Amino acid sequence: MNELTLSTLLAVFEEMFGRHLFWGLVIACTIIAFLFIYVIIRDNKIEAKRLVRAELWAPVGAAIGIAFVFFITSSNFADIGGPIDVIVLILIAVAGAVGMTILAYIVQSLSSSQKS
């Protein structure tokens, strides 16, 4: 592999996760992103109370992200071999934490708007 292209990345991710799971995750992330944009536009701001409560879910999201990748790749912590593995693991944890924070914010915002 001499160059890294989008089609190469798509093929690698489809091979690693499976075609249905990968595209299901892409669709889920797209829906969540549009919901977040909708909530921000609807409220015209990011509400601090909701954001702080949503951030409490970040460690859960980090743990779920790491567990998910370990499950999909049939790996465990003993398979971590070098610095790049640790960096990738940290990036996975950060992505899971951010994703769970956004999801928690969306759930809070949409559930509170239904009560009023």
Side-chain angles (χ1 to χ4, degrees), residues 34-84:
F34 281 124
L35 281 173
F36 185 66
I37 292 168
Y38 165 75
V39 166
I40 299 302
I41 291 172
R42 183 193 69 182
D43 295 344
N44 290 325
K45 62 180 179 178
I46 294 180
E47 191 173 328
K49 281 185 182 182
R50 287 185 193 151
L51 183 60
V52 170
R53 283 194 302 256
E55 287 172 352
L56 294 174
W57 284 94
V60 174
I64 289 172
I66 291 171
F68 177 74
V69 170
F70 278 160
F71 175 75
I72 291 298
T73 60
S74 300
S75 300
N76 58 29
F77 283 105
D79 296 326
I80 297 173
I84 191 64

